[in-house]
Amino acid sequence: MTRETEIRDALRAWIVKTNGKIQPDQLDDETPIIERRIITSLQVMDLILFLEKLSNRSIEVDTLKVGVFKNINAIYNAFFASVIE
Amino acid sequence: MSKPEDALNLGSLDGFRWLDNGQSALSGNLLDLFRNLDRMFLSWSRECNASEYRFPTFISARDLARLDYFRSFPHLVTFPIVLKSEEENLKRFSEGSTLNAEGEVTLTDIRGVRDVLTPAACYHFYVQFQGEKLTSVKHVTTRANCFRREAYYLPLQRQWGFAMREIVCIGTADEVKEFLSRYQDRCERFFKRINLTVEFQNATDPFFNPSKNPKYILQKLDPVKTEMVYQTGLAIGSINFHRNYFGEAFQISRDGKEAFSGCVAFGLERWIYALLHHFGFDQSTWPRLDSPEEE
């Protein structure tokens, strides 16, 4: 299993667990997690903490760009892709 | 928001009276303009066969609390209050110094507050439709006098009490997004016809203590509000995607899933301001508001 797959799986598992209602097969890498409120505004702060832990670096909320939490692909590209490549 | 130099000399305008409590009175040509604008918005609402509703001035505090309103917007809220009805209390009030030098009422005992003066027209719809299981998309419209306490007021631009017309869509995510895009296009065609410089800009709701509010942070990262910003910087309307926030809070479903919703909102006094600022006070220069065939 590649590091990328591990990260995507970890993201999916965290989202499924945090949401509490959605099944893993209902969540692909393009599913809009904010628009569908799979992750709510209150959970976004927890998501940021989780991403800090997973990426092992701190995240400055003020520097985040529009769309970074749109779906798993967007999260992966924003916080992990450049580090792994 | 407009700079002070953009303030119009409304004192010289017939049919306008500004009140110290952040509200305005309209008559004559200005009242005609108000009515014609609302008639135009109503005709736009018919393009999606929206049903019209008329709601009362108050909305229950219990319902607003379900939207987390008091935590998000405590600085905007206005409450209607009444005295406790015990005779002794009423007597004490009526025989006391009912008004001080600043014009403030000297209150005696107040009954518990259970209502709020409507802060946004569309909230009434989610209360109205709570628990409904929709099998088709729903389009509705209403105009309400809305109340938002502000740090300062400016005639027509920032008022404690103002009129808001909203057209609302409740349905699936795709139905709501299509509705919002159609109405943005509708407004753009109108602005183009009358040559009014209005830009559509991402915006956020005016949250209390925004930097500490996750809802604000999320709105910055995933914009759901687009404002119609007139050239002076004044937002005269907005296009809002609520996701399924109201559907969840009020258990409204669409085909078995929590319904999504969105609205297009028009602040009537602000539209009047933009038209007066752009076209001047002479009614003969104002654009026609009833020519959809030209758009």
Side-chain angles (χ1 to χ4, degrees), chain A residues 26-70:
Chain A
Q26 294 173 301
L27 180 71
D28 64 34
D29 288 7
E30 288 288 328
T31 305
I33 60 168
I34 303 298
E35 181 190 304
R36 300 284 149 99
R37 292 186 67 249
I38 293 166
I39 293 301
T40 67
S41 56
L42 293 175
Q43 293 160 338
V44 160
M45 303 317 285
D46 293 335
L47 174 61
I48 292 170
L49 293 175
F50 175 71
L51 292 174
E52 284 185 331
K53 212 168 132 192
L54 195 61
S55 65
N56 203 21
R57 61 189 171 114
S58 65
I59 294 170
E60 290 296 322
V61 173
D62 292 343
T63 63
L64 293 175
K65 294 199 168 62
V66 168
V68 286
F69 297 140
K70 189 177 170 39

Side-chain angles (χ1 to χ4, degrees), chain A residues 19 21 34-43, chain B residues 66-67 126 129-132 170-171 215 242-254 257-261:
Chain A
N19 174 272
K21 284 189 277 188
I34 303 298
E35 181 190 304
R36 300 284 149 99
R37 292 186 67 249
I38 293 166
I39 293 301
T40 67
S41 56
L42 293 175
Q43 293 160 338
Chain B
R66 287 163 78 174
L67 306 175
Y126 316 113
F129 302 132
Q130 63 186 304
E132 285 199 16
I170 307 175
K215 287 196 178 77
H242 312 133
R243 307 192 187 101
N244 56 0
Y245 187 71
F246 295 119
E248 185 182 275
F250 289 97
Q251 292 94 47
I252 305 166
S253 66
R254 166 82 175 91
K257 290 184 182 160
E258 281 157 359
F260 283 68
S261 62

Side-chain angles (χ1 to χ4, degrees), chain B residues 113-168:
Chain B
V113 174
R114 294 179 184 174
D115 293 281
V116 174
L117 271 70
T118 297
C122 73
Y123 289 161
H124 290 282
F125 285 119
Y126 316 113
V127 180
Q128 175 91 14
F129 302 132
Q130 63 186 304
E132 285 199 16
K133 296 173 172 52
L134 306 179
T135 52
S136 62
V137 63
K138 194 184 264 296
H139 294 106
V140 286
T141 183
T142 192
R143 188 184 88 207
N145 286 328
C146 296
F147 300 86
R148 293 183 191 176
R149 188 71 176 147
E150 302 275 5
Y152 66 96
Y153 300 109
L154 275 176
L156 297 178
Q157 298 189 70
R158 185 176 288 275
Q159 301 196 167
W160 191 358
F162 57 95
M164 187 192 291
R165 163 68 65 183
E166 292 204 44
I167 310 170
V168 178

Side-chain angles (χ1 to χ4, degrees), chain B residues 21-42:
Chain B
N21 60 6
Q23 301 182 90
S24 53
L26 306 179
S27 60
N29 291 344
L30 276 192
L31 181 57
D32 287 342
L33 179 58
F34 177 96
R35 287 188 175 133
N36 290 338
L37 277 168
D38 193 47
R39 216 168 275 143
M40 178 178 78
F41 300 140
L42 201 53

Side-chain angles (χ1 to χ4, degrees), chain B residues 8 44 61 69 109 119 131-132 150 185 222 231 256 277 293:
Chain B
L8 298 169
W44 292 1
Y69 189 85
D109 294 346
E132 285 199 16
E150 302 275 5
D185 182 58
D222 192 59
Q231 66 187 52
H277 185 270
E293 67 282 355

Side-chain angles (χ1 to χ4, degrees), chain B:
Chain B
M1 195 61 214
S2 295
K3 299 181 285 292
E5 61 264 33
D6 291 317
L8 298 169
N9 183 20
L10 292 163
S12 65
L13 182 60
D14 275 346
F16 183 80
R17 190 160 75 91
W18 178 241
L19 307 170
D20 287 343
N21 60 6
Q23 301 182 90
S24 53
L26 306 179
S27 60
N29 291 344
L30 276 192
L31 181 57
D32 287 342
L33 179 58
F34 177 96
R35 287 188 175 133
N36 290 338
L37 277 168
D38 193 47
R39 216 168 275 143
M40 178 178 78
F41 300 140
L42 201 53
S43 78
W44 292 1
S45 80
R46 291 197 192 99
E47 292 170 13
C48 66
N49 297 314
S51 309
E52 192 180 16
Y53 286 69
R54 173 94 182 123
F55 292 110
T57 306
F58 303 162
I59 188 163
S60 93
R62 205 188 286 271
D63 287 327
L64 274 194
R66 287 163 78 174
L67 306 175
D68 212 23
Y69 189 85
F70 300 120
R71 258 191 270 275
S72 297
F73 309 108
H75 52 309
L76 301 182
V77 69
T78 310
F79 301 102
I81 57 166
V82 293
L83 298 169
K84 276 190 176 170
S85 55
E86 284 80 4
E87 193 169 339
E88 177 277 325
N89 186 47
L90 297 176
K91 195 159 175 269
R92 198 150 45 90
F93 173 75
S94 65
E95 290 175 357
S97 58
T98 51
L99 214 62
N100 71 15
E102 280 77 45
E104 295 165 349
V105 182
T106 310
L107 296 168
T108 53
D109 294 346
I110 301 301
R111 210 187 74 175
V113 174
R114 294 179 184 174
D115 293 281
V116 174
L117 271 70
T118 297
C122 73
Y123 289 161
H124 290 282
F125 285 119
Y126 316 113
V127 180
Q128 175 91 14
F129 302 132
Q130 63 186 304
E132 285 199 16
K133 296 173 172 52
L134 306 179
T135 52
S136 62
V137 63
K138 194 184 264 296
H139 294 106
V140 286
T141 183
T142 192
R143 188 184 88 207
N145 286 328
C146 296
F147 300 86
R148 293 183 191 176
R149 188 71 176 147
E150 302 275 5
Y152 66 96
Y153 300 109
L154 275 176
L156 297 178
Q157 298 189 70
R158 185 176 288 275
Q159 301 196 167
W160 191 358
F162 57 95
M164 187 192 291
R165 163 68 65 183
E166 292 204 44
I167 310 170
V168 178
C169 173
I170 307 175
T172 64
D174 288 342
E175 284 165 346
V176 173
K177 285 198 280 188
E178 192 276 328
F179 162 85
L180 296 175
S181 145
R182 185 168 12 135
Y183 274 91
Q184 176 162 340
D185 182 58
R186 184 78 198 76
C187 296
E188 278 172 345
R189 276 184 283 141
F190 174 75
F191 295 138
K192 194 171 167 201
R193 173 172 72 80
I194 68 164
N195 265 326
L196 198 69
T197 308
V198 175
E199 278 185 25
F200 288 79
Q201 296 177 0
N202 284 342
T204 51
D205 285 317
F207 289 106
F208 176 63
N209 233 340
S211 61
K212 292 189 171 60
N213 191 324
K215 287 196 178 77
Y216 171 80
I217 294 167
L218 194 60
Q219 282 198 3
K220 291 288 277 185
L221 298 177
D222 192 59
V224 286
K225 185 180 197 72
T226 306
E227 284 183 340
M228 305 169 202
V229 182
Y230 175 58
Q231 66 187 52
T232 60
L234 183 71
I236 60 173
S238 63
I239 294 172
N240 304 277
F241 182 46
H242 312 133
R243 307 192 187 101
N244 56 0
Y245 187 71
F246 295 119
E248 185 182 275
F250 289 97
Q251 292 94 47
I252 305 166
S253 66
R254 166 82 175 91
D255 284 348
K257 290 184 182 160
E258 281 157 359
F260 283 68
S261 62
C263 67
V264 186
F266 308 100
L268 278 119
E269 286 84 355
R270 289 182 167 195
W271 275 66
I272 292 175
Y273 170 88
L275 294 181
L276 293 176
H277 185 270
H278 186 75
F279 295 100
F281 291 178
D282 178 0
Q283 189 192 10
S284 67
T285 65
W286 296 349
R288 282 191 61 185
L289 300 175
D290 57 353
S291 315
E293 67 282 355
E294 295 170 23
E295 288 157 23

